[in-house]
Amino acid sequence: MKTGWARAACSDSALCGISKGHLGALVAELAEPWQARRESELGERRGHGRLRAAGAGPDHQLAFVDRVLVTLVALRWALSHRVPAVLFATSASTIGRAVGEIRPLLAARGFAVPNRPAVRLRTLADVFAYAKAEGVTLRIDGTEVQVRRPKANRPGRKAFVSGKKRQNTGKATMISDGQGRELWLGAIRPGRMHDVTQIRTEGTEEQLRLHPTVKVEVDSGYLGLVRDFPGQVSGSPKKPSQDAGPSQRNAYDHARRRQSSDRIMVEHAIAEPKRWRPLQRWIGRRDDLPEVIAAIGSLVSDRSATRPSARKPSTELVLVRRPAC
């Protein structure tokens, strides 16, 4: 197959997972850091400066645009590198090197925010600073990705066994706003770790103390944060005892549904990156999973950030009917 046909096929959103407009902006954004990184690697390999003019020497087996495309296809569908190698008439090792060059650049981009094209959130501190500045109530929840089972007799082998999934998993934390737009996806930990322990080891308690005006909505897996930050973190209401009366049970049901309605948008945010095959079941090396999650999260956040913000309802009273004269 000719390269032009392969490039046209892989640039379709059904294969690469993003629109052509998004793809063009992504190529323009990554071109300069990719070139700078390559020149740095070549300089270290040579041990001296460039002797020939820029552009001299053999051409790349894959152009930069093709490198981005094969990386996106690999991230979207978790295909064997032999498949894009057949499309672009090259070897699987060349595809592997291209993915190894582009994927770290995608992971380092950070996460886009609505109505702020120049702002990218890369750390948990950035997320809380953004929430404080914009008055955003954060929604926090965890999600798990099935991973390969560690070999026998390895230390820490049981750390990946999830008590919820009953599988070997890696766990990530999603933070979104009230409209289900992704703000951060990280804190990758083995699946056995509890949700609240996972987010605490990332420094969430420190950020809550530094930003006391930021409100957070969580589920029952984060009751420790609700206890420690009662006016700041809102979680599921306490379940009534078995001998509680009907009024108490009805009040509990209404409170639980109201709280679930407030935090349900984070579930919608989790569903978007879950459409990408590697986050359904990761069959590669477990050490590469954090980079894969960060790369996919940055791409998904670009799309979610373009969704328009919900219009704030007016507080002005409007008369239903005119008074009689």
Side-chain angles (χ1 to χ4, degrees):
M1 180 179 292
K2 294 183 178 180
T3 304
W5 287 99
R7 185 179 302 168
C10 291
S11 61
D12 191 275
S13 60
L15 281 181
C16 68
I18 61 177
S19 65
K20 291 187 177 180
H22 188 187
L23 175 61
L26 187 66
V27 170
E29 177 186 347
L30 298 181
E32 185 175 349
W34 175 80
Q35 186 64 33
R37 184 171 183 175
R38 176 165 177 78
E39 290 296 333
S40 176
E41 292 176 353
L42 290 176
E44 293 180 0
R45 188 187 307 172
R46 290 190 299 257
H48 53 76
R50 177 184 288 276
L51 300 179
R52 292 186 292 183
D59 295 332
H60 296 294
Q61 293 185 0
L62 278 179
F64 172 69
V65 176
D66 298 335
R67 292 169 185 261
V68 175
L69 284 175
V70 297
T71 304
L72 292 176
V73 172
L75 286 175
R76 180 65 181 88
W77 296 107
L79 295 175
S80 170
H81 292 169
R82 290 179 293 179
V83 176
V86 171
L87 295 177
F88 287 91
T90 185
S91 62
S93 60
T94 300
I95 300 297
R97 286 193 297 270
V99 173
E101 293 176 3
I102 302 300
R103 193 174 65 191
L105 299 179
L106 293 174
R109 295 176 67 233
F111 304 91
V113 297
N115 306 320
R116 298 289 188 273
V119 177
R120 309 286 298 193
L121 306 179
R122 293 179 172 83
T123 64
L124 200 61
D126 294 341
V127 176
F128 275 83
Y130 167 77
K132 179 181 178 180
E134 299 292 334
V136 175
T137 299
L138 301 178
R139 275 77 174 170
I140 301 179
D141 199 5
T143 181
E144 296 184 73
V145 181
Q146 186 179 355
V147 298
R148 298 170 64 180
R149 185 182 184 184
K151 292 183 178 180
N153 302 322
R154 289 266 181 104
R157 188 184 188 214
K158 294 182 179 180
F160 290 91
V161 180
S162 170
K164 179 180 179 181
K165 297 287 187 179
R166 302 297 179 183
Q167 296 173 339
N168 290 269
T169 65
K171 183 177 292 185
T173 297
M174 168 69 75
I175 300 180
S176 74
D177 62 5
Q179 293 184 231
R181 295 176 295 199
E182 177 188 354
L183 300 179
W184 190 74
L185 181 62
I188 316 301
R189 301 290 188 273
R192 194 179 185 88
M193 184 175 291
H194 197 275
D195 290 349
V196 69
T197 305
Q198 173 192 9
I199 198 66
R200 276 174 168 167
T201 56
E202 195 69 18
T204 306
E205 292 182 335
E206 179 183 359
Q207 295 303 320
L208 289 170
R209 294 188 183 99
L210 291 175
H211 305 90
T213 59
V214 175
K215 305 297 182 182
V216 180
E217 295 284 347
V218 295
D219 64 0
S220 58
Y222 300 87
L223 293 182
L225 287 180
V226 178
R227 181 192 64 241
D228 297 339
F229 301 89
Q232 202 172 354
V233 181
S234 175
S236 302
K238 186 177 180 180
K239 190 174 182 179
S241 59
Q242 295 182 354
D243 57 349
S247 60
Q248 293 180 338
R249 292 188 177 277
N250 289 336
Y252 165 74
D253 290 338
H254 285 294
R256 180 176 57 83
R257 290 169 184 167
R258 184 168 56 251
Q259 195 274 338
S260 177
S261 178
D262 291 338
R263 59 160 298 277
I264 193 62
M265 298 310 296
V266 70
E267 302 289 351
H268 298 172
I270 289 175
E272 289 192 67
K274 282 289 188 176
R275 297 174 183 173
W276 294 61
R277 188 62 59 81
L279 299 193
Q280 298 172 12
R281 184 173 183 267
W282 175 243
I283 59 176
R285 298 176 67 244
R286 290 183 302 277
D287 294 341
D288 293 338
L289 182 59
E291 185 177 273
V292 171
I293 291 178
I296 293 176
S298 72
L299 297 171
V300 172
S301 69
D302 292 338
R303 179 179 178 181
S304 64
T306 59
R307 294 203 295 265
S309 300
R311 183 178 63 87
K312 294 183 179 180
S314 174
T315 57
E316 183 181 357
L317 295 178
V318 179
L319 295 178
V320 178
R321 60 179 68 179
R322 294 181 179 275
C325 298

